[in-house]
Amino acid sequence: MSEETTAASEAGPASVLLIDDHPLLRKGVKQLIDLEDDLEVIAEASNAETGVAKAVETDPDLILLDLNMPEINGIETLKMLREADVGSRIVVFTVSDNEEDVVAALRAGADGYLLKDMEPEELLASLNQAALGKMVISEKLTALLAQALQAGRTTKSADISSLTPRERQIIKLIAAGLPNKLIARKLSITEGTVKVHVKHLLKKLNLRSRVEVAVWAVNEGLS
């Protein structure tokens, strides 16, 4: 058993918040997740306002977010979550494989993008990976995402020298796919301290998500 899996098991199942306006889909996903020992749905929401409120209240490890919701869509919900300083990993779960949607979700701070036509077993595997802090993207979107990341990289990229030694350590661990809990354990600091460091380095690098941090680290040779 890997260190990541061991640590996750010791911490109990990863908590999941479902934000989707379709009750039937939420029920189906919850029933599927209930079959998985390492995941647990702790809250549900059918719209953006309720979703953000429950995210702030419950601080879930993972948020599964629908893209095409009425009134306030998934992209705007993503922005609301990040503006509310929600540190959960957020995975968009949608029927849309449109390049503009993928790019918009990434820029808004998504940590993954999964299509609703995937097999149940594949979804569970992806959610487990996401709960461990890894980027999860539906296979047919990976090439598109790589291109989008490269094309969308900001010109306001910070110099490596602007990062503190601790921030460099954390970036390397993010690039390795470790979640905040494991980063805290490896560096002998609290998870809250890790979250503060991540928030600061995102601002320094002018990036919006852990996905972009990981790609930046690879490009700069920090991984």
Short mmCIF file of all heavy atoms in Angstrom, two decimals, residues 156-213:
data_model
loop_
_atom_site.label_atom_id
_atom_site.label_comp_id
_atom_site.label_asym_id
_atom_site.label_seq_id
_atom_site.Cartn_x
_atom_site.Cartn_y
_atom_site.Cartn_z
N LYS A 156 2.70 37.02 -16.76
CA LYS A 156 3.09 37.63 -15.50
C LYS A 156 3.65 36.58 -14.54
O LYS A 156 3.44 36.61 -13.34
CB LYS A 156 1.87 38.33 -14.87
CG LYS A 156 2.19 39.22 -13.68
CD LYS A 156 0.90 39.76 -13.08
CE LYS A 156 1.18 40.50 -11.79
NZ LYS A 156 -0.05 40.95 -11.14
N SER A 157 4.33 35.61 -15.09
CA SER A 157 4.86 34.52 -14.28
C SER A 157 5.98 35.01 -13.37
O SER A 157 6.88 35.73 -13.81
CB SER A 157 5.38 33.41 -15.20
OG SER A 157 5.85 32.33 -14.44
N ALA A 158 5.93 34.65 -12.11
CA ALA A 158 6.92 35.12 -11.15
C ALA A 158 8.25 34.41 -11.35
O ALA A 158 8.31 33.28 -11.82
CB ALA A 158 6.41 34.87 -9.74
N ASP A 159 9.31 35.10 -10.97
CA ASP A 159 10.64 34.50 -11.01
C ASP A 159 10.74 33.49 -9.87
O ASP A 159 10.20 33.71 -8.78
CB ASP A 159 11.69 35.60 -10.84
CG ASP A 159 13.09 35.09 -11.13
OD1 ASP A 159 13.64 34.37 -10.27
OD2 ASP A 159 13.61 35.39 -12.20
N ILE A 160 11.46 32.40 -10.12
CA ILE A 160 11.61 31.37 -9.09
C ILE A 160 12.20 31.96 -7.81
O ILE A 160 11.87 31.54 -6.70
CB ILE A 160 12.49 30.21 -9.60
CG1 ILE A 160 11.79 29.50 -10.76
CG2 ILE A 160 12.80 29.23 -8.50
CD1 ILE A 160 12.62 28.39 -11.38
N SER A 161 13.06 32.97 -7.97
CA SER A 161 13.72 33.56 -6.81
C SER A 161 12.74 34.27 -5.87
O SER A 161 13.08 34.56 -4.73
CB SER A 161 14.80 34.55 -7.27
OG SER A 161 14.21 35.62 -7.99
N SER A 162 11.52 34.54 -6.35
CA SER A 162 10.54 35.21 -5.50
C SER A 162 9.90 34.25 -4.50
O SER A 162 9.22 34.68 -3.58
CB SER A 162 9.45 35.86 -6.36
OG SER A 162 8.61 34.87 -6.94
N LEU A 163 10.13 32.95 -4.71
CA LEU A 163 9.53 31.95 -3.82
C LEU A 163 10.44 31.70 -2.62
O LEU A 163 11.67 31.68 -2.73
CB LEU A 163 9.34 30.63 -4.58
CG LEU A 163 8.41 30.68 -5.79
CD1 LEU A 163 8.49 29.36 -6.56
CD2 LEU A 163 6.98 30.94 -5.36
N THR A 164 9.83 31.51 -1.47
CA THR A 164 10.58 31.16 -0.28
C THR A 164 10.98 29.68 -0.36
O THR A 164 10.38 28.91 -1.12
CB THR A 164 9.75 31.37 1.00
OG1 THR A 164 8.66 30.44 1.00
CG2 THR A 164 9.20 32.79 1.05
N PRO A 165 11.99 29.26 0.39
CA PRO A 165 12.37 27.84 0.40
C PRO A 165 11.19 26.92 0.74
O PRO A 165 11.03 25.86 0.15
CB PRO A 165 13.46 27.78 1.48
CG PRO A 165 14.08 29.14 1.44
CD PRO A 165 12.93 30.08 1.19
N ARG A 166 10.35 27.35 1.69
CA ARG A 166 9.19 26.54 2.07
C ARG A 166 8.20 26.44 0.92
O ARG A 166 7.64 25.38 0.65
CB ARG A 166 8.51 27.15 3.29
CG ARG A 166 7.27 26.40 3.74
CD ARG A 166 7.63 25.00 4.24
NE ARG A 166 7.98 25.00 5.65
CZ ARG A 166 8.59 23.98 6.26
NH1 ARG A 166 8.92 22.91 5.57
NH2 ARG A 166 8.87 24.04 7.54
N GLU A 167 7.99 27.55 0.20
CA GLU A 167 7.08 27.53 -0.94
C GLU A 167 7.60 26.61 -2.04
O GLU A 167 6.82 25.90 -2.69
CB GLU A 167 6.88 28.95 -1.48
CG GLU A 167 6.02 29.81 -0.57
CD GLU A 167 6.02 31.28 -0.95
OE1 GLU A 167 6.89 31.69 -1.75
OE2 GLU A 167 5.16 32.03 -0.45
N ARG A 168 8.91 26.58 -2.23
CA ARG A 168 9.49 25.67 -3.23
C ARG A 168 9.24 24.21 -2.83
O ARG A 168 8.92 23.38 -3.67
CB ARG A 168 10.99 25.92 -3.37
CG ARG A 168 11.35 27.24 -4.00
CD ARG A 168 12.80 27.25 -4.40
NE ARG A 168 13.29 28.58 -4.71
CZ ARG A 168 14.43 28.82 -5.32
NH1 ARG A 168 15.22 27.81 -5.65
NH2 ARG A 168 14.81 30.04 -5.58
N GLN A 169 9.40 23.93 -1.55
CA GLN A 169 9.14 22.57 -1.06
C GLN A 169 7.69 22.17 -1.34
O GLN A 169 7.41 21.07 -1.82
CB GLN A 169 9.41 22.49 0.45
CG GLN A 169 10.86 22.51 0.85
CD GLN A 169 11.00 22.45 2.37
OE1 GLN A 169 10.35 23.19 3.10
NE2 GLN A 169 11.83 21.55 2.85
N ILE A 170 6.77 23.08 -1.03
CA ILE A 170 5.35 22.79 -1.19
C ILE A 170 4.99 22.62 -2.66
O ILE A 170 4.22 21.72 -3.02
CB ILE A 170 4.50 23.89 -0.53
CG1 ILE A 170 4.65 23.80 1.00
CG2 ILE A 170 3.02 23.78 -0.94
CD1 ILE A 170 3.98 24.91 1.77
N ILE A 171 5.57 23.44 -3.54
CA ILE A 171 5.29 23.32 -4.97
C ILE A 171 5.74 21.95 -5.48
O ILE A 171 5.03 21.30 -6.27
CB ILE A 171 6.00 24.44 -5.76
CG1 ILE A 171 5.23 25.75 -5.58
CG2 ILE A 171 6.08 24.10 -7.25
CD1 ILE A 171 5.87 26.94 -6.25
N LYS A 172 6.90 21.49 -5.06
CA LYS A 172 7.38 20.19 -5.49
C LYS A 172 6.43 19.07 -5.05
O LYS A 172 6.18 18.13 -5.79
CB LYS A 172 8.78 19.93 -4.92
CG LYS A 172 9.87 20.76 -5.57
CD LYS A 172 11.24 20.44 -4.96
CE LYS A 172 12.33 21.28 -5.61
NZ LYS A 172 13.67 20.99 -5.03
N LEU A 173 5.90 19.20 -3.84
CA LEU A 173 4.98 18.18 -3.33
C LEU A 173 3.63 18.25 -4.03
O LEU A 173 2.99 17.22 -4.28
CB LEU A 173 4.83 18.34 -1.82
CG LEU A 173 6.11 18.07 -1.02
CD1 LEU A 173 5.91 18.38 0.46
CD2 LEU A 173 6.57 16.62 -1.20
N ILE A 174 3.18 19.46 -4.38
CA ILE A 174 1.95 19.60 -5.17
C ILE A 174 2.14 18.93 -6.53
O ILE A 174 1.27 18.21 -7.01
CB ILE A 174 1.58 21.08 -5.35
CG1 ILE A 174 1.09 21.67 -4.03
CG2 ILE A 174 0.49 21.25 -6.43
CD1 ILE A 174 0.81 23.17 -4.09
N ALA A 175 3.29 19.19 -7.15
CA ALA A 175 3.58 18.60 -8.46
C ALA A 175 3.64 17.08 -8.39
O ALA A 175 3.34 16.38 -9.38
CB ALA A 175 4.89 19.15 -9.01
N ALA A 176 4.00 16.55 -7.22
CA ALA A 176 4.05 15.10 -7.04
C ALA A 176 2.68 14.51 -6.76
O ALA A 176 2.52 13.30 -6.66
CB ALA A 176 5.00 14.76 -5.88
N GLY A 177 1.67 15.39 -6.66
CA GLY A 177 0.30 14.92 -6.49
C GLY A 177 -0.16 14.78 -5.05
O GLY A 177 -1.21 14.20 -4.79
N LEU A 178 0.59 15.33 -4.10
CA LEU A 178 0.22 15.17 -2.69
C LEU A 178 -0.83 16.20 -2.26
O LEU A 178 -0.73 17.37 -2.63
CB LEU A 178 1.44 15.31 -1.78
CG LEU A 178 2.24 14.03 -1.51
CD1 LEU A 178 2.88 13.51 -2.80
CD2 LEU A 178 3.31 14.28 -0.46
N PRO A 179 -1.83 15.78 -1.49
CA PRO A 179 -2.82 16.71 -0.94
C PRO A 179 -2.23 17.45 0.26
O PRO A 179 -1.16 17.11 0.76
CB PRO A 179 -3.96 15.79 -0.51
CG PRO A 179 -3.26 14.51 -0.15
CD PRO A 179 -2.12 14.38 -1.12
N ASN A 180 -2.95 18.47 0.72
CA ASN A 180 -2.45 19.29 1.83
C ASN A 180 -2.14 18.47 3.08
O ASN A 180 -1.17 18.75 3.79
CB ASN A 180 -3.46 20.38 2.17
CG ASN A 180 -3.51 21.46 1.11
OD1 ASN A 180 -2.62 21.58 0.28
ND2 ASN A 180 -4.58 22.26 1.13
N LYS A 181 -2.97 17.47 3.38
CA LYS A 181 -2.76 16.67 4.58
C LYS A 181 -1.40 15.97 4.56
O LYS A 181 -0.68 15.93 5.56
CB LYS A 181 -3.87 15.63 4.73
CG LYS A 181 -5.22 16.22 5.11
CD LYS A 181 -6.31 15.16 5.18
CE LYS A 181 -7.66 15.77 5.51
NZ LYS A 181 -8.75 14.78 5.52
N LEU A 182 -1.05 15.40 3.40
CA LEU A 182 0.24 14.70 3.30
C LEU A 182 1.41 15.68 3.26
O LEU A 182 2.49 15.40 3.78
CB LEU A 182 0.27 13.81 2.06
CG LEU A 182 -0.25 12.38 2.25
CD1 LEU A 182 -0.10 11.59 0.96
CD2 LEU A 182 0.51 11.68 3.37
N ILE A 183 1.20 16.84 2.62
CA ILE A 183 2.25 17.87 2.59
C ILE A 183 2.55 18.31 4.02
O ILE A 183 3.71 18.43 4.42
CB ILE A 183 1.82 19.07 1.73
CG1 ILE A 183 1.74 18.66 0.25
CG2 ILE A 183 2.81 20.23 1.90
CD1 ILE A 183 1.21 19.74 -0.66
N ALA A 184 1.50 18.53 4.79
CA ALA A 184 1.68 18.94 6.20
C ALA A 184 2.46 17.88 6.97
O ALA A 184 3.37 18.20 7.74
CB ALA A 184 0.30 19.16 6.84
N ARG A 185 2.12 16.62 6.74
CA ARG A 185 2.80 15.53 7.44
C ARG A 185 4.28 15.48 7.06
O ARG A 185 5.16 15.36 7.93
CB ARG A 185 2.13 14.20 7.12
CG ARG A 185 2.88 13.00 7.67
CD ARG A 185 2.17 11.70 7.38
NE ARG A 185 0.91 11.60 8.10
CZ ARG A 185 0.20 10.49 8.20
NH1 ARG A 185 0.62 9.39 7.62
NH2 ARG A 185 -0.92 10.46 8.87
N LYS A 186 4.58 15.60 5.78
CA LYS A 186 5.97 15.52 5.31
C LYS A 186 6.82 16.67 5.84
O LYS A 186 8.00 16.50 6.13
CB LYS A 186 6.02 15.50 3.78
CG LYS A 186 5.76 14.13 3.17
CD LYS A 186 5.97 14.16 1.66
CE LYS A 186 5.94 12.75 1.08
NZ LYS A 186 7.10 11.93 1.49
N LEU A 187 6.21 17.86 5.96
CA LEU A 187 6.97 19.04 6.36
C LEU A 187 6.83 19.34 7.86
O LEU A 187 7.37 20.33 8.34
CB LEU A 187 6.51 20.25 5.55
CG LEU A 187 6.70 20.13 4.02
CD1 LEU A 187 6.22 21.42 3.34
CD2 LEU A 187 8.15 19.85 3.67
N SER A 188 6.07 18.49 8.56
CA SER A 188 5.87 18.66 10.01
C SER A 188 5.28 20.03 10.36
O SER A 188 5.73 20.70 11.29
CB SER A 188 7.19 18.45 10.76
OG SER A 188 7.69 17.14 10.55
N ILE A 189 4.28 20.42 9.57
CA ILE A 189 3.56 21.66 9.84
C ILE A 189 2.07 21.34 9.81
O ILE A 189 1.68 20.23 9.45
CB ILE A 189 3.90 22.77 8.83
CG1 ILE A 189 3.62 22.29 7.39
CG2 ILE A 189 5.36 23.19 8.97
CD1 ILE A 189 3.92 23.35 6.33
N THR A 190 1.23 22.29 10.19
CA THR A 190 -0.20 22.03 10.20
C THR A 190 -0.78 22.16 8.79
O THR A 190 -0.21 22.83 7.92
CB THR A 190 -0.94 23.02 11.11
OG1 THR A 190 -0.87 24.34 10.54
CG2 THR A 190 -0.34 23.02 12.50
N GLU A 191 -1.92 21.51 8.59
CA GLU A 191 -2.60 21.61 7.30
C GLU A 191 -3.03 23.05 7.03
O GLU A 191 -2.99 23.51 5.88
CB GLU A 191 -3.82 20.69 7.27
CG GLU A 191 -4.49 20.61 5.91
CD GLU A 191 -5.65 19.62 5.88
OE1 GLU A 191 -5.88 18.93 6.90
OE2 GLU A 191 -6.34 19.56 4.84
N GLY A 192 -3.40 23.77 8.06
CA GLY A 192 -3.78 25.17 7.91
C GLY A 192 -2.62 26.01 7.40
O GLY A 192 -2.80 26.90 6.56
N THR A 193 -1.41 25.72 7.89
CA THR A 193 -0.22 26.44 7.44
C THR A 193 0.05 26.14 5.96
O THR A 193 0.42 27.04 5.20
CB THR A 193 1.00 26.04 8.28
OG1 THR A 193 0.76 26.38 9.64
CG2 THR A 193 2.25 26.77 7.81
N VAL A 194 -0.16 24.89 5.56
CA VAL A 194 0.02 24.53 4.15
C VAL A 194 -0.95 25.33 3.28
O VAL A 194 -0.57 25.87 2.24
CB VAL A 194 -0.22 23.02 3.93
CG1 VAL A 194 -0.16 22.70 2.42
CG2 VAL A 194 0.84 22.20 4.66
N LYS A 195 -2.21 25.43 3.72
CA LYS A 195 -3.22 26.16 2.95
C LYS A 195 -2.81 27.62 2.78
O LYS A 195 -3.00 28.21 1.71
CB LYS A 195 -4.59 26.07 3.63
CG LYS A 195 -5.23 24.69 3.55
CD LYS A 195 -6.60 24.69 4.21
CE LYS A 195 -7.27 23.33 4.10
NZ LYS A 195 -8.60 23.29 4.75
N VAL A 196 -2.25 28.22 3.83
CA VAL A 196 -1.80 29.61 3.74
C VAL A 196 -0.66 29.75 2.73
O VAL A 196 -0.65 30.67 1.90
CB VAL A 196 -1.34 30.12 5.13
CG1 VAL A 196 -0.68 31.49 4.99
CG2 VAL A 196 -2.53 30.21 6.07
N HIS A 197 0.30 28.83 2.79
CA HIS A 197 1.41 28.86 1.84
C HIS A 197 0.91 28.70 0.40
O HIS A 197 1.37 29.40 -0.51
CB HIS A 197 2.41 27.73 2.15
CG HIS A 197 3.34 28.03 3.28
ND1 HIS A 197 4.17 29.13 3.31
CD2 HIS A 197 3.58 27.36 4.44
CE1 HIS A 197 4.88 29.14 4.41
NE2 HIS A 197 4.55 28.06 5.13
N VAL A 198 -0.03 27.78 0.19
CA VAL A 198 -0.56 27.55 -1.15
C VAL A 198 -1.25 28.82 -1.66
O VAL A 198 -1.07 29.22 -2.82
CB VAL A 198 -1.54 26.36 -1.17
CG1 VAL A 198 -2.26 26.28 -2.52
CG2 VAL A 198 -0.81 25.06 -0.90
N LYS A 199 -2.02 29.46 -0.80
CA LYS A 199 -2.71 30.69 -1.19
C LYS A 199 -1.70 31.77 -1.59
O LYS A 199 -1.88 32.45 -2.61
CB LYS A 199 -3.57 31.18 -0.01
CG LYS A 199 -4.40 32.41 -0.33
CD LYS A 199 -5.28 32.78 0.85
CE LYS A 199 -6.12 34.03 0.53
NZ LYS A 199 -6.99 34.41 1.67
N HIS A 200 -0.62 31.91 -0.83
CA HIS A 200 0.39 32.92 -1.12
C HIS A 200 1.13 32.62 -2.43
O HIS A 200 1.37 33.52 -3.23
CB HIS A 200 1.40 33.01 0.03
CG HIS A 200 0.84 33.66 1.25
ND1 HIS A 200 1.48 33.65 2.48
CD2 HIS A 200 -0.31 34.36 1.44
CE1 HIS A 200 0.75 34.30 3.37
NE2 HIS A 200 -0.34 34.74 2.77
N LEU A 201 1.49 31.35 -2.64
CA LEU A 201 2.25 31.04 -3.85
C LEU A 201 1.39 31.15 -5.10
O LEU A 201 1.88 31.51 -6.18
CB LEU A 201 2.96 29.68 -3.74
CG LEU A 201 2.15 28.40 -3.66
CD1 LEU A 201 1.84 27.85 -5.04
CD2 LEU A 201 2.95 27.34 -2.87
N LEU A 202 0.09 30.84 -5.00
CA LEU A 202 -0.81 31.03 -6.14
C LEU A 202 -0.84 32.51 -6.52
O LEU A 202 -0.82 32.85 -7.72
CB LEU A 202 -2.22 30.56 -5.79
CG LEU A 202 -2.47 29.05 -5.77
CD1 LEU A 202 -3.86 28.74 -5.23
CD2 LEU A 202 -2.30 28.43 -7.15
N LYS A 203 -0.90 33.38 -5.51
CA LYS A 203 -0.93 34.81 -5.78
C LYS A 203 0.39 35.27 -6.40
O LYS A 203 0.40 36.05 -7.36
CB LYS A 203 -1.20 35.57 -4.48
CG LYS A 203 -1.41 37.06 -4.67
CD LYS A 203 -1.85 37.72 -3.38
CE LYS A 203 -2.11 39.22 -3.60
NZ LYS A 203 -2.56 39.88 -2.36
N LYS A 204 1.52 34.79 -5.89
CA LYS A 204 2.82 35.17 -6.42
C LYS A 204 2.98 34.76 -7.88
O LYS A 204 3.54 35.49 -8.69
CB LYS A 204 3.95 34.51 -5.61
CG LYS A 204 4.28 35.18 -4.30
CD LYS A 204 5.50 34.52 -3.68
CE LYS A 204 5.88 35.20 -2.38
NZ LYS A 204 7.09 34.58 -1.77
N LEU A 205 2.50 33.56 -8.20
CA LEU A 205 2.67 33.02 -9.54
C LEU A 205 1.55 33.44 -10.49
O LEU A 205 1.57 33.09 -11.67
CB LEU A 205 2.76 31.49 -9.49
CG LEU A 205 3.91 30.92 -8.65
CD1 LEU A 205 3.83 29.40 -8.59
CD2 LEU A 205 5.25 31.35 -9.22
N ASN A 206 0.56 34.13 -9.96
CA ASN A 206 -0.60 34.55 -10.75
C ASN A 206 -1.30 33.34 -11.39
O ASN A 206 -1.68 33.35 -12.55
CB ASN A 206 -0.20 35.54 -11.84
CG ASN A 206 -1.40 36.28 -12.42
OD1 ASN A 206 -2.38 36.52 -11.73
ND2 ASN A 206 -1.32 36.64 -13.69
N LEU A 207 -1.45 32.27 -10.58
CA LEU A 207 -2.11 31.06 -11.03
C LEU A 207 -3.38 30.87 -10.21
O LEU A 207 -3.53 31.43 -9.13
CB LEU A 207 -1.18 29.84 -10.89
CG LEU A 207 0.12 29.92 -11.70
CD1 LEU A 207 1.02 28.73 -11.36
CD2 LEU A 207 -0.16 29.97 -13.19
N ARG A 208 -4.30 30.03 -10.73
CA ARG A 208 -5.60 29.89 -10.09
C ARG A 208 -5.84 28.53 -9.43
O ARG A 208 -6.75 28.39 -8.64
CB ARG A 208 -6.72 30.14 -11.12
CG ARG A 208 -6.77 31.55 -11.66
CD ARG A 208 -7.08 32.56 -10.56
NE ARG A 208 -8.34 32.28 -9.89
CZ ARG A 208 -9.50 32.76 -10.29
NH1 ARG A 208 -9.60 33.53 -11.34
NH2 ARG A 208 -10.62 32.47 -9.63
N SER A 209 -5.04 27.53 -9.77
CA SER A 209 -5.34 26.21 -9.23
C SER A 209 -4.07 25.39 -9.04
O SER A 209 -2.99 25.72 -9.55
CB SER A 209 -6.28 25.45 -10.18
OG SER A 209 -5.59 25.05 -11.34
N ARG A 210 -4.20 24.29 -8.29
CA ARG A 210 -3.08 23.38 -8.07
C ARG A 210 -2.64 22.74 -9.38
O ARG A 210 -1.47 22.40 -9.55
CB ARG A 210 -3.50 22.30 -7.06
CG ARG A 210 -3.83 22.83 -5.70
CD ARG A 210 -4.50 21.76 -4.85
NE ARG A 210 -3.56 20.77 -4.39
CZ ARG A 210 -2.95 20.81 -3.21
NH1 ARG A 210 -3.18 21.78 -2.38
NH2 ARG A 210 -2.12 19.84 -2.85
N VAL A 211 -3.59 22.57 -10.31
CA VAL A 211 -3.25 22.00 -11.61
C VAL A 211 -2.22 22.89 -12.30
O VAL A 211 -1.19 22.42 -12.81
CB VAL A 211 -4.50 21.86 -12.50
CG1 VAL A 211 -4.12 21.42 -13.90
CG2 VAL A 211 -5.49 20.88 -11.90
N GLU A 212 -2.48 24.19 -12.32
CA GLU A 212 -1.56 25.11 -12.97
C GLU A 212 -0.23 25.18 -12.22
O GLU A 212 0.83 25.34 -12.84
CB GLU A 212 -2.20 26.49 -13.09
CG GLU A 212 -3.35 26.53 -14.09
CD GLU A 212 -3.76 27.95 -14.45
OE1 GLU A 212 -3.36 28.89 -13.72
OE2 GLU A 212 -4.46 28.11 -15.45
N VAL A 213 -0.27 25.08 -10.90
CA VAL A 213 0.97 25.06 -10.13
C VAL A 213 1.83 23.85 -10.54
O VAL A 213 3.04 23.98 -10.73
CB VAL A 213 0.67 24.99 -8.62
CG1 VAL A 213 1.96 24.71 -7.83
CG2 VAL A 213 0.05 26.29 -8.14
#
